[in-house]
């Protein structure tokens, strides 16, 4: 079983959340405002994680690659795709927010359609990055400047790091979990998730446990 990079582990979590958000919206019972609020909270967490990820790339990863002579047009395309993702996430967020005002199946279906449109934009960018940028980064994984940039891309607060680790594992397959353990020692993952990932486990994870019943 091939080991996934941390980047691909994060991408897998993004894809998983977008898919299950759409599914939850399509299955939302008419008038269920509490379920709508639960889905909104989970979506907001996804937006936070994905925004942190692409802003860190814009501010640290892409400048590093440019300093190593990577094609500026490719980096400009990456930034442009991040902008398209921001717009798509914002449109989906507005639709989900509107559902709390009017939690009908019709509004839920409209929100699900917006999430589906966002998924198309997000998937296109993630595939492009994995195919064309990640191999470039892999060539510098032992470079001290890249290591410093990668460290700077991590969440600054322990609570945010714990939430991120809990999120990456929630619904993950064995390949993602094994790859995460290959990158971060298992006791550290367990401690961070248990102690500092409580907010995610309390406020977000129940959304998907309800969906799996």
């Amino acid at each position: 079983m091939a080991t996934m990079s941390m980047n691909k582990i994060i991408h897998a979590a993004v894809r998983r959340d977008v898919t299950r958000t759409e599914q939850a919206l399509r299955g939302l019972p008419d008038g269920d405002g509490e379920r709508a609020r639960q889905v909104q909270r989970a979506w907001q967490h996804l937006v936070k994680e994905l925004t942190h990820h692409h802003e860190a790339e814009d501010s640290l990863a892409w400048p590093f690659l440019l300093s190593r002579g990577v094609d500026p047009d490719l980096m400009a395309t990456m930034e442009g795709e991040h902008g398209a993702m921001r717009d798509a996430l914002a449109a989906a967020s507005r639709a989900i927010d509107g559902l709390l005002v009017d939690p009908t199946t019709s509004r839920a279906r409209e929100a699900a359609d917006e999430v589906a449109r966002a998924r198309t934009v997000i998937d296109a960018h993630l595939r492009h990055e994995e195919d064309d940028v990640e191999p470039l980064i892999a060539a510098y994984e032992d470079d001290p400047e890249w290591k410093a940039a990668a460290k700077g891309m991590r969440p600054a607060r322990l609570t945010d790091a714990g939430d991120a680790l809990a999120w990456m594992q929630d619904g993950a397959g064995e390949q993602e979990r094994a790859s995460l353990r290959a990158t971060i020692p298992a006791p550290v993952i367990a401690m961070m998730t248990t102690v500092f990932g409580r907010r995610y486990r309390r406020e977000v994870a129940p959304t998907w446990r309800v969906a799996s019943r």
Side-chain angles (χ1 to χ4, degrees):
M1 182 169 58
T3 299
M4 298 169 66
S5 67
M6 180 62 77
N7 194 51
K8 286 184 178 176
I9 295 169
I10 293 170
H11 286 187
V14 170
R15 290 180 171 114
R16 189 164 55 244
D17 264 17
V18 174
T19 295
R20 56 191 182 182
T21 298
E22 182 186 351
Q23 291 172 344
L25 290 168
R26 297 203 186 280
L28 190 89
D30 192 55
D32 194 342
E34 179 54 36
R35 180 61 175 158
R37 185 171 300 280
Q38 196 177 38
V39 174
Q40 180 202 44
R41 190 160 51 238
W43 177 257
Q44 287 172 340
H45 182 269
L46 166 63
V47 171
K48 182 191 80 169
E49 293 291 348
L50 184 51
T51 298
H52 169 80
H53 181 65
H54 70 232
E55 286 182 350
E57 289 175 335
D58 285 341
S59 63
L60 293 168
W62 305 163
F64 169 81
L65 288 173
L66 285 169
S67 76
R68 294 300 188 269
V70 169
D71 183 4
D73 289 342
L74 175 58
M75 296 295 93
T77 298
M78 289 292 111
E79 287 194 20
E81 290 176 0
H82 281 174
M85 280 201 309
R86 281 192 295 272
D87 292 343
L89 290 170
S93 295
R94 287 192 296 271
I96 293 172
D97 291 347
L99 183 60
L100 268 68
V101 179
D102 182 25
T104 62
T105 53
S106 176
R107 290 292 291 269
R109 186 167 55 250
E110 291 171 4
D113 290 344
E114 284 292 350
V115 171
R117 282 189 280 273
R119 184 180 62 205
T120 299
V121 174
I122 293 166
D123 279 348
H125 169 69
L126 299 186
R127 285 196 306 273
H128 190 185
E129 183 180 312
E130 288 166 358
D131 290 345
D132 292 351
V133 178
E134 188 160 326
L136 301 175
I137 291 174
Y140 296 105
E141 60 183 15
D142 294 325
D143 186 305
E145 288 187 33
W146 170 247
K147 288 182 178 181
K151 184 176 180 180
M153 293 169 69
R154 300 172 190 165
R157 300 189 303 176
L158 286 173
T159 51
D160 290 336
D163 281 345
L165 283 170
W167 167 68
M168 285 180 233
Q169 296 171 83
D170 187 8
E174 181 52 33
Q175 185 180 20
E176 291 113 290
R177 289 176 176 272
S179 297
L180 194 59
R181 292 192 299 269
T183 304
I184 304 171
V188 175
I189 294 173
M191 183 274 291
M192 291 293 294
T193 303
T194 302
V195 177
F196 297 106
R198 286 176 292 187
R199 181 177 55 191
Y200 177 89
R201 292 187 290 109
R202 181 180 65 249
E203 298 179 2
V204 180
T207 305
W208 311 129
R209 287 200 291 270
V210 168
S212 64
R213 287 176 189 168

